Amino acid sequence: MGAARATVYHASDGNDWYNGIELVCEEGMEEDMAGVIKSSFGKLKSGVAVDLYTLTNKNGLVAKIMTFGATLTELHAPDKDGKMANICLGFDSVEKYEKGHPYMGSTVGRYCNRIGKGRFTLGGKTYKLATNNPPNHLHGGGPKAWDKVNWKAQIVARPDGPAVQFTYFSKDGEEGYPGNVNASVIYTLTEANTVKMEYAATTDKPCPINLTNHAYFNLKGKGTILDHELYIAAKSYTEGDEDLLPTGKILPVVDTPYDFFAQPAIVGDRLLAAGGKEPNIGYDLNYVLLPGAKGYATVARLSEATTGRLLEIRTDQPGLQFYTGNFLDGTLTGKGGWKYVQYSGICLETQHFPDSPNHKNFPNTILMPGQTYRTRTEYALLVK
Ligand code: BGC
């Protein structure tokens, strides 16, 4: 791939590349940035133009991210013989994304996962959110949830690979949440074959923040994920009620179908015992991750025997939603005419625990004015 001409952005303090939302453009610093190509991905119904950024690293891996929902639309990774395939579910046009889909590759906010009955109380005031997953709030709510808005984007210079920063300003009261919030996510396709996502956010009023990426992986790039093997670094999970909302209890995984810690297991082997309401049986739960020694750890490994592909998830987050695409029902057709049926993809969403604003025993998710929310997750694309 060729190089795109772009503006190089430098951190305001001159050296802190991790300072996502404080990057500023230094005048006269234009130079060629290898590895990133910006193209048009079409227009939204409103006429707003959506751009697609194609990141290619020196090993030929490719990640495509569009401004609508700061969405990862494709991720091409090699198998054990070096053969590339797209291992993320997604669509070939912005129309299909805008029509509606279950968060494929989306950046999800302000609060990923569920908030019970769409309510939380902060500073004596009760806030009412959309109950778009009745009776609960899910993944930031309705039309202005962050997967459904067009983010601004700029190519940025990072030491470890081609990178693009996406930013979104969310107004006070948007989707019922308090505070004007400036959010950003930097995607870097590193030369070490990882897709790194670094999130940052600030607010001018206390507000719950919980951001994730909702990619659906299939390491064969076709078929189902029932034959994939999984390890999760968790000895416990947050119990969910019949609507998948935490009850507040944290339970051990040992001797349950949720145990992927004692030893890696094939996803399909115990799936029928994993729970869910017919016909949406399968895994859909939040794991309480073991804390990493340095606050950043490998928390899951997903692999597939025939291709040898191995996906490692690294994060600083306390939770991981493991979801086996139980609600996919064949009504959506993705790239290359691939019909997305139940279990076509697997989600491993790094996150804070669902419904934390309503559970005092869960780690805090309230961002205060003057603080900066930061979190980092990496998908490492390896072979076994
Ligand atoms: C949730 C599922 C939901 C899916 C798509 C996952 O994060 O846990 O219950 O169906 O997102 O919306």
Side-chain angles (χ1 to χ4, degrees):
M1 296 244 177
R5 193 139 180 92
T7 306
V8 178
Y9 290 82
H10 289 267
S12 47
D13 63 2
N15 54 31
D16 184 4
W17 292 109
Y18 291 90
N19 211 356
I21 57 169
E22 287 160 27
L23 296 173
V24 294
C25 176
E26 286 179 17
E27 228 175 294
M29 294 285 311
E30 290 217 339
E31 59 187 62
D32 281 335
M33 300 272 293
V36 186
I37 287 176
K38 176 183 171 184
S39 56
S40 167
F41 199 52
K43 282 187 177 167
L44 298 173
K45 277 185 277 176
S46 60
V48 169
V50 174
D51 292 325
L52 182 72
Y53 288 83
T54 301
L55 278 54
T56 306
N57 77 1
K58 294 197 175 109
N59 309 315
L61 274 70
V62 177
K64 298 189 184 184
I65 308 119
M66 66 163 166
T67 49
F68 184 59
T71 302
L72 180 66
T73 63
E74 287 178 45
L75 182 54
H76 297 258
D79 69 5
K80 58 181 190 298
D81 303 318
K83 204 170 152 230
M84 304 293 281
N86 173 32
I87 58 156
C88 273
L89 276 56
F91 305 96
D92 47 19
S93 70
V94 75
E95 290 79 20
K96 287 195 179 163
Y97 281 100
E98 197 179 16
K99 250 185 168 174
H101 66 102
Y103 308 91
M104 287 185 176
S106 308
T107 296
V108 182
R110 293 187 189 187
Y111 199 98
C112 65
N113 217 301
R114 293 173 173 81
I115 295 185
K117 310 274 186 290
R119 277 173 197 275
F120 65 92
T121 303
L122 254 186
K125 192 172 166 199
T126 296
Y127 293 89
K128 183 85 195 77
L129 312 170
T131 47
N132 55 317
N133 186 240
N136 302 313
H137 177 79
L138 179 69
H139 293 330
K144 284 280 188 173
W146 293 0
D147 62 293
K148 296 177 191 69
V149 297
N150 204 37
W151 294 54
K152 289 197 172 122
Q154 65 199 19
I155 298 168
V156 291
R158 302 302 300 249
D160 45 357
V164 178
Q165 181 187 37
F166 295 84
T167 53
Y168 179 63
F169 171 70
S170 175
K171 278 199 207 106
D172 187 10
E174 200 171 83
E175 287 296 336
Y177 287 100
N180 290 297
V181 172
N182 276 296
S184 71
V185 53
I186 299 176
Y187 282 81
T188 306
L189 179 61
T190 74
E191 303 304 350
N193 293 356
T194 74
V195 177
K196 186 168 65 174
M197 288 152 296
E198 293 162 284
Y199 302 84
T202 55
T203 182
D204 60 2
K205 283 185 189 165
C207 175
I209 297 281
N210 190 12
L211 306 183
T212 195
N213 183 282
H214 205 297
Y216 290 67
F217 296 101
N218 181 316
L219 300 181
K220 290 178 300 196
K222 60 181 182 201
T224 76
I225 47 70
L226 296 174
D227 54 359
H228 286 35
E229 186 180 83
L230 181 65
Y231 159 80
I232 301 179
K235 291 184 182 175
S236 51
Y237 67 101
T238 54
E239 184 189 50
D241 70 8
E242 56 167 6
D243 296 309
L244 302 166
L245 188 74
T247 61
K249 277 193 199 151
I250 293 178
L251 301 178
V253 296
V254 70
D255 294 332
T256 75
Y258 310 133
D259 191 353
F260 289 87
F261 178 70
Q263 52 190 38
I266 299 293
V267 169
D269 279 1
R270 297 167 299 173
L271 182 111
L272 295 180
K277 283 185 207 162
E278 280 284 0
N280 309 111
I281 304 299
Y283 291 95
D284 197 353
L285 73 158
N286 171 61
Y287 282 85
V288 177
L289 296 170
L290 295 172
K294 291 184 185 143
Y296 189 72
T298 293
V299 298
R301 275 192 203 98
L302 182 70
S303 61
E304 194 281 314
T306 62
T307 60
R309 288 197 181 90
L310 166 66
L311 173 77
E312 219 175 73
I313 313 256
R314 303 170 191 157
T315 193
D316 52 18
Q317 289 288 280
L320 182 79
Q321 187 79 13
F322 168 36
Y323 169 59
T324 40
N326 315 332
F327 294 95
L328 298 177
D329 59 5
T331 51
L332 294 173
T333 302
K335 287 193 192 82
W338 182 5
K339 238 186 214 316
Y340 295 141
V341 296
Q342 203 172 30
Y343 318 130
S344 285
I346 227 170
C347 300
L348 293 162
E349 305 150 55
T350 58
Q351 61 184 7
H352 263 261
F353 303 171
D355 203 26
S356 295
N358 293 312
H359 292 281
K360 290 214 165 65
N361 59 326
F362 289 179
N364 176 51
T365 53
I366 306 301
L367 180 70
M368 303 299 284
Q371 295 179 334
T372 302
Y373 165 95
R374 285 184 207 290
T375 176
R376 175 164 54 121
T377 289
E378 252 172 297
Y379 307 140
L381 304 153
L382 311 170
V383 281
K384 238 180 163 178

